[in-house]
Amino acid sequence: MATSLHDKDKEQGQGTLLPLPPSVEERRRAEWLAAELERHNYLYHTLDAPEISDDQYDILFKELMSLEQRFPDLRSPWSPTLRVGAGLLESLEKKAHSRQMYGLDNVFSGEEWREFVERMRRAAPDAPLAFWCDPKLDGLALELVYEKGLLTMALTRGDGRIGEVVTDTARTIRSVPLRLRGDGLFPAYLEVRGEVVIFKKDFAALNARQAALGQKIFANPRNAAAGALRRLDAAVIKSRPLRFLAYSLGSVTWAPALPCAFHHELMERLLVYGFSIPPGGRLCRTPHEVAQYAESARERRQDFPMEIDGIVAKQDNLEAQESLGFTARAPRFAVAFKFPAVRMETLLIGIDVQVGRTGVLTPVAILQPVAVGGVVVSRATLHNEDEIRSRDVRVGDTVIIQRAGDVIPEVLGPVLSKRPPEAQEFSFPRVCPACGGEVQREPNETAWRCGNLSCPAVRLERIIHFVSKAGLDIQGIGRKWITQLVKTGKVRSPADLFTLTTDALKCFERMGQKLAENFTRAFEAAKANATLTKLISALGIRHVGAQTARTLAGHFSNLDELGMADAETLVALPDIGPEVAASIRGFFSNPANLAEIARLRDLGLASRNLTVQSPADDTPNPLRGKNVLFTGTLSIPRIRAQHLAESAGAASANSVGKKLDYLIVGESPGGKLAKARELGVTVIDEKEFIALLALAGIRAEEQP
Ligand code: IVH
């Protein structure tokens, strides 16, 4: 490399105390090195066609590294040296997705697929029935944000609405372009969505390495990838060969690039930009071709380099995608066509009875570990007493295990020809295995339930639920630590968590000052970030999941209001029936629950955070607690309109019914308009909707 001018200056003793800028040669060399290394990265990790050896790559890399260390200004935002990873990530920042990251509905047969197509045909009669199909990857969804062609942020899926910022980690994934390739005419803003996976061969090597080091063996590639993506140090990243495969977009501002009109065109564009895409993707021009594609992918399942559990079919026309939109859970324009369940035989070693957070006793089969569809299964649900009896499953039997998609593996039944004479029928316990208390079974229920309000197992499960993703989502504190905290008597209820001090935590084995501080910080952060939705969901009220919690939070201003609501008020809300209403009433009439809520309130969880993130209560808000539905094309994406409505405290309805308060119509509304008129539902246009938002203190153009 050329000697720089200022090196000469130093040699001659003329150096100043001010750091000197890099010479022209050094700047050029750094630029060349960055571009060259990125090219080799792409050749190696995306095209699988390296031109130079690893050693040659390392030499170039080290040269760039040392230049950047001397002149930090030379480090460009796409420098390959950024791929080495940050240190240990302690807690991840959260950010809202600009468009929700939905899950997919499933179909399991040709018949269900045809029904899906029929629904699509009814919803969008003019849309052609061509589909982009690719394998359904079993990994973790990730969103990459590019501004003017540069990677600026990476967000995990999170709960679909809010994800965790994992930009540094994403940069370490070699198949993630740090800047887009191509002609330089990039979309001004582009969100690329895809899946982080580990290939089967890399996974086998990873587990072999883990075993050799006496370290944890991963059950499946997905788990190994999940751990690596969310929290890691540089050494961990290096040892987990993550790959990113792109399959769709979030928000995009195409200009100055030309927009794409079809999904297949989009996939080609993603290739040009330097992304890898799921292997074997293809445009199917008829629904029948999709069914054939699904069948052939099932037959070739083992040949795919990564675990797949089905295929995904997406309406090819992007305009039709937009107009079909989403249900509360999933797009109407795409569906996962899942492979049929995989079955295996193994030995039933024993039956364990677990007590869940609502006191239900669930029998769990303890199995001789067996690989079922790429996942090692050692436990499987037996559902309840009646199922064990009707399937005639006995300890000592060889049993058939089934695993379908993401669902918990289950025991289908015994292989009678292999039943040993000593196989024993299971007698279901009549007392709670955790507290010895009485168990009851309601006449129309299948489950036995422990009725002891202070059963230690129920208490433990409720606290675990409280901190879990379905609850307040307190980072880094899982089942293991909660079990210890409860066992040692330090924590008896969720509120106790917020009173723990670093000193109290440090008494535990393997809990140093740093971890203890992380824990207390995580509790504080959870307190600060708690919303009414999360809190309702965290309470673990029977039948109240995330969706119902959202509805309730949209209608009530705080927990006290919810606690006082009678069954009549509750059933008037969308998706809440008499059973859910009774469960909510039951929860709030239990003095122990009321005392716990009072404690949470005293701890500060009841202040600002227990109200929805909607405007102050004294503003007149015509949308609060109202059920709204959109139809036709709006000037803003429908999902954004839904977000706006929800931030004003309204709930999104799925269909036109008597409980609907407002139907908001855009251009070319469908059949919903006629139905709404028939039922006398108030119909407003987009302008009026924006005016209502303004009354609620929300300005449409300012919202993310
Ligand atoms: S497309 C709006 N394509 O499966 C359509 N998703 O179970 C967006 N997934 O949340 C998804 N492989 O994370 C698409 N080839 C593929 C996929 C895929 C896996 C994930 C995705 C989604 C989940 C739903």
Side-chain angles (χ1 to χ4, degrees):
M1 193 186 19
T3 319
S4 73
L5 287 175
H6 66 265
D7 279 346
K8 280 194 196 125
D9 285 351
K10 267 188 227 151
E11 279 159 25
Q12 291 160 14
Q14 294 166 5
T16 70
L17 287 175
L18 282 173
L20 283 162
S23 67
V24 176
E25 291 92 332
E26 281 161 336
R27 184 171 293 282
R28 281 212 193 119
R29 179 75 183 163
E31 277 166 15
W32 181 84
L33 283 167
E36 186 65 1
L37 284 163
E38 199 51 12
R39 189 174 76 83
H40 288 301
N41 240 324
Y42 177 70
L43 287 168
Y44 184 95
H45 292 281
T46 304
L47 300 187
D48 214 2
E51 276 178 9
I52 57 172
S53 70
D54 289 0
D55 287 347
Q56 285 168 313
Y57 183 92
D58 282 348
I59 292 169
L60 297 177
F61 189 89
K62 280 188 188 135
E63 187 186 339
L64 179 60
M65 197 72 165
S66 96
L67 268 173
E68 289 177 350
Q69 266 158 9
R70 276 171 48 215
F71 309 111
D73 281 0
L74 289 185
R75 174 173 275 180
S76 64
W78 61 86
S79 172
T81 59
L82 290 169
R83 293 193 186 275
V84 291
L88 193 68
L89 302 180
E90 284 174 0
S91 74
L92 296 167
E93 189 196 337
K94 296 197 172 174
K95 268 228 151 75
H97 292 284
S98 62
R99 303 191 78 181
Q100 185 172 339
M101 282 182 91
Y102 285 88
L104 288 167
D105 280 339
N106 297 324
V107 298
F108 289 95
S109 65
E111 196 183 330
E112 285 180 19
W113 161 244
R114 283 187 291 277
E115 285 166 11
F116 173 83
V117 174
E118 204 36 55
R119 279 197 299 278
M120 186 186 277
R121 206 202 299 262
R122 276 199 302 271
D126 301 330
L129 293 175
F131 298 87
W132 175 262
C133 293
D134 47 24
K136 180 161 191 311
L137 313 168
D138 193 10
L140 294 144
L142 183 70
E143 174 171 275
L144 303 173
V145 179
Y146 290 85
E147 288 170 72
K148 295 189 186 140
L150 282 190
L151 176 70
T152 52
M153 186 171 64
L155 265 184
T156 63
R157 175 170 191 255
D159 66 0
R161 292 163 188 261
I162 295 174
E164 286 163 327
V165 180
V166 290
T167 319
D168 286 336
T169 317
R171 282 203 177 104
T172 69
I173 304 176
R174 300 304 171 104
S175 43
V176 166
L178 300 184
R179 59 173 170 168
L180 302 180
R181 300 179 70 80
D183 58 10
L185 273 190
F186 303 126
Y189 182 87
L190 177 72
E191 291 173 357
V192 178
R193 292 176 174 181
E195 203 86 350
V196 173
V197 297
I198 297 183
F199 279 7
K200 288 189 272 196
K201 67 172 175 22
D202 295 334
F203 179 68
L206 168 64
N207 260 352
R209 235 178 11 245
Q210 293 284 108
L213 295 171
Q215 286 176 356
K216 173 181 168 176
I217 304 291
F218 297 103
N220 54 50
R222 191 173 190 281
N223 287 1
L229 193 61
R230 289 199 54 255
R231 154 159 59 90
L232 64 153
D233 55 33
V236 175
I237 307 169
K238 251 189 126 172
S239 69
R240 300 210 197 155
L242 305 179
R243 296 177 197 245
F244 177 78
L245 301 175
Y247 48 60
S248 72
L249 298 188
S251 294
V252 54
T253 308
W254 283 111
L258 287 178
C260 290
F262 299 99
H263 203 96
H264 75 265
E265 210 185 311
L266 179 68
M267 300 310 286
E268 281 161 21
R269 189 74 69 84
L270 287 171
L271 284 176
V272 172
Y273 288 160
F275 291 94
S276 299
I277 63 172
R282 177 159 94 70
L283 178 65
C284 293
R285 296 186 184 277
T286 63
H288 179 63
E289 267 186 39
V290 175
Q292 284 178 327
Y293 177 89
E295 179 55 22
S296 106
R298 187 184 65 77
E299 281 167 7
R300 293 180 298 114
R301 181 177 190 171
Q302 301 309 330
D303 304 335
F304 281 87
M306 74 295 285
E307 297 291 351
I308 64 169
D309 55 2
I311 64 133
V312 181
K314 289 154 236 182
Q315 161 63 253
D316 191 42
N317 186 309
L318 295 181
E319 214 175 270
Q321 282 194 5
E322 197 68 24
S323 78
L324 281 159
F326 300 82
T327 65
R329 283 187 327 272
R332 289 196 192 85
F333 56 82
V335 79
F337 196 142
K338 289 289 199 67
F339 296 145
V342 192
R343 295 177 178 181
M344 285 306 271
E345 284 182 14
T346 192
L347 192 68
L348 177 65
I349 301 169
I351 295 177
D352 204 8
V353 176
Q354 288 183 347
V355 187
R357 78 183 147 87
T358 55
V360 169
L361 270 50
T362 305
V364 177
I366 310 300
L367 305 162
Q368 191 162 304
V370 59
V372 192
V375 173
V376 177
V377 175
S378 56
R379 298 165 76 81
T381 179
L382 283 162
H383 302 287
N384 54 52
E385 182 185 23
D386 293 354
E387 288 292 334
I388 301 181
R389 200 166 303 136
S390 70
R391 292 176 200 204
D392 186 23
V393 178
R394 303 183 188 183
V395 174
D397 269 339
T398 293
V399 289
I400 301 169
I401 316 293
Q402 169 166 295
R403 194 177 80 89
D406 304 334
V407 299
I408 305 166
E410 63 171 338
V411 175
L412 292 184
V415 183
L416 287 177
S417 59
K418 294 189 183 169
R419 172 168 285 170
E422 69 279 8
Q424 289 160 19
E425 247 179 273
F426 182 67
S427 59
F428 206 85
R430 290 291 178 263
V431 290
C432 170
C435 69
E438 206 182 305
V439 290
Q440 295 124 17
R441 184 173 161 171
E442 300 294 325
N444 53 355
E445 277 200 10
T446 47
W448 287 92
R449 213 176 270 278
C450 170
N452 175 5
L453 284 178
S454 51
C455 169
V458 174
R459 247 185 12 223
L460 174 67
E461 293 301 326
R462 280 179 69 168
I463 302 171
I464 290 172
H465 172 80
F466 189 87
V467 303
S468 75
K469 235 183 155 117
L472 288 199
D473 195 9
I474 304 183
Q475 298 296 312
I477 297 141
R479 173 173 288 273
K480 204 182 80 194
W481 280 111
I482 297 291
T483 308
Q484 283 223 41
L485 289 166
V486 172
K487 263 197 186 149
T488 50
K490 290 223 171 353
V491 168
R492 295 176 55 84
S493 80
D496 291 340
L497 291 171
F498 300 97
T499 62
L500 287 172
T501 59
T502 319
D503 284 342
L505 284 166
K506 268 186 352 203
C507 305
F508 289 101
E509 212 180 300
R510 282 186 295 124
M511 170 83 78
Q513 174 76 18
K514 193 146 187 241
L515 192 54
E517 277 171 12
N518 282 353
F519 274 23
T520 45
R521 229 180 286 138
F523 293 132
E524 283 309 312
K527 211 156 85 174
N529 296 330
T531 59
L532 185 55
T533 306
K534 277 197 203 168
L535 199 73
I536 295 174
S537 177
L539 292 176
I541 307 170
R542 224 174 129 202
H543 305 307
V544 177
Q547 183 62 39
T548 311
R550 215 170 281 137
T551 305
L552 294 169
H555 192 82
F556 299 101
S557 305
N558 52 48
L559 279 187
D560 294 331
E561 248 186 45
L562 169 60
M564 281 185 298
D566 55 21
E568 217 174 28
T569 313
L570 292 168
V571 291
L573 298 175
D575 305 325
I576 294 184
E579 201 182 357
V580 183
S583 168
I584 297 170
R585 288 301 319 131
F587 184 91
F588 284 98
S589 16
N590 176 336
N593 292 337
L594 294 178
E596 176 70 7
I597 290 170
R599 282 192 66 206
L600 290 171
R601 190 189 306 116
D602 292 345
L603 284 161
L605 270 151
S607 54
R608 170 184 66 84
N609 298 314
L610 282 198
T611 54
V612 247
Q613 304 122 303
S614 62
D617 282 351
D618 53 359
T619 47
N621 178 354
L623 284 167
R624 185 180 299 134
K626 296 289 192 262
N627 298 315
V628 302
L629 181 67
F630 297 88
T631 183
T633 315
L634 305 168
S635 69
I636 52 173
R638 184 171 298 189
I639 183 64
R640 206 160 99 67
Q642 277 168 355
H643 275 170
L644 290 168
E646 281 165 22
S647 32
S652 295
N654 293 328
S655 58
V656 181
K658 281 198 185 128
K659 289 182 187 169
L660 186 66
D661 294 298
Y662 294 114
L663 180 74
I664 300 145
V665 293
E667 267 174 48
S668 347
K672 285 177 192 154
L673 178 58
K675 184 145 187 227
R677 292 218 164 108
E678 203 178 292
L679 294 175
V681 171
T682 308
V683 176
I684 59 173
D685 63 16
E686 190 178 338
K687 262 198 201 144
E688 289 167 307
F689 169 60
I690 289 171
L692 292 186
L693 284 173
L695 276 176
I698 290 177
R699 300 211 2 214
E701 67 276 18
E702 276 179 7
Q703 294 295 310

